[in-house]
Amino acid sequence: MADVLPLVEARLRSALGEPDARAAVTFLGADRIEVLRFQEGDIVRYATLGMSAQPMTDPTSVLADPVKGPRAELVLSVRSGPADTGKVLRPLAVLAASPQVEGVVVAPGASLDVGEPLWPGAPFTSVLVAEPGGLVEDLELDPPLDPVRFLPLLPMTPNEAAWKRVHGAQALQERWLTNGTDLRDPSRRSVPLD
C-alpha cells in the first residue's frame, strides 16, 4: 500500500504554493501530524498533513478497516495582521489527530472544539467544517482507497457554535453570508444571532 502523505503534500503544494513553515506534533497513541503554513498576499493558510494517513472509522464499528473509509486534511485560512495566528499549529494538530485519538469521523457540517482560544486572544474556540473542493481539490487515490478531501475550517465564536447546535451549519453559513462576515478576520466579532 503506497504512502498517501507524499501525494497529499504534492497536492497542497500545487494548490497553495511552497510552504514557508512547518511544524510537527505527536500525540500519545497517534501518528505524527504536521501543519504547513502557506502565505499568499495577506492571507495565511494552515494545512494539516498526516490526518489522511489512515482512514477515519465510524466509532460504532467493531473493527477498523485499515483501507476503506473517508480520508481528510484540514485547511484554515486567516488574514495576517496583529493576531498571533501562528500559535494555531497545536490546536490544528489536535483537531487533525481527533479521528485517531477519539474515533470521530470529521465531515462537512461538523463542529470541532479545542476548548481554548485557537490562538492567543482569539475570540474562537471551535471551527465549523465546511464543504471541500473549493481551495484544494480532492485527491483521488487508487481503489479501494477513498479520496483525500481537504476540509476548510471556519472559526466560530462560542455564541455562533451554540447557535449552530440549535439551527444547524447551513443556517449559520447563511447568517454569515447575509451579514457579509469576513470569515478570514482573525479578530472578528460574532455575527448577529437574534
Side-chain angles (χ1 to χ4, degrees):
M1 189 70 50
D3 184 6
V4 302
L5 295 184
L7 302 173
V8 170
E9 184 169 355
R11 175 58 54 95
L12 286 168
R13 287 172 184 266
S14 69
L16 305 176
E18 287 298 312
D20 65 353
R22 66 192 308 145
V25 180
T26 305
F27 300 98
L28 189 62
D31 293 333
R32 173 177 139 136
I33 303 288
E34 289 189 81
V35 180
L36 284 62
R37 184 181 71 192
F38 301 87
Q39 182 85 41
E40 182 184 332
D42 69 337
I43 302 296
V44 183
R45 300 188 200 285
Y46 299 95
T48 63
L49 180 62
M51 182 177 169
S52 62
Q54 303 294 326
M56 294 181 274
T57 305
D58 183 336
T60 62
S61 296
V62 177
L63 198 57
D65 190 320
V67 177
K68 292 184 181 178
R71 293 173 188 261
E73 295 291 352
L74 308 175
V75 180
L76 174 70
S77 300
V78 291
R79 199 169 304 288
S80 58
D84 187 10
T85 59
K87 297 282 197 288
V88 77
L89 301 176
R90 183 163 179 75
L92 267 183
V94 167
L95 296 178
S98 63
Q100 288 181 59
V101 175
E102 299 172 25
V104 298
V105 175
V106 177
S111 299
L112 303 175
D113 196 317
V114 294
E116 61 185 34
L118 290 175
W119 53 82
F124 318 107
T125 58
S126 62
V127 293
L128 174 65
V129 181
E131 290 291 333
L135 187 61
V136 183
E137 288 183 27
D138 291 353
L139 173 64
E140 296 295 330
L141 300 173
D142 293 335
L145 301 181
D146 286 17
V148 177
R149 302 171 85 198
F150 297 88
L151 303 172
L153 301 180
L154 308 175
M156 293 188 294
T157 66
N159 286 346
E160 290 170 338
W163 196 86
K164 182 254 175 196
R165 280 193 292 278
V166 173
H167 300 281
Q170 185 65 37
L172 178 59
Q173 289 178 306
E174 288 171 9
R175 182 66 55 115
W176 282 335
L177 191 59
T178 302
N179 286 276
T181 306
D182 180 4
L183 296 173
R184 295 176 179 168
D185 181 350
S187 55
R188 72 172 178 82
R189 296 188 182 281
S190 183
V191 70
L193 299 169
D194 48 4

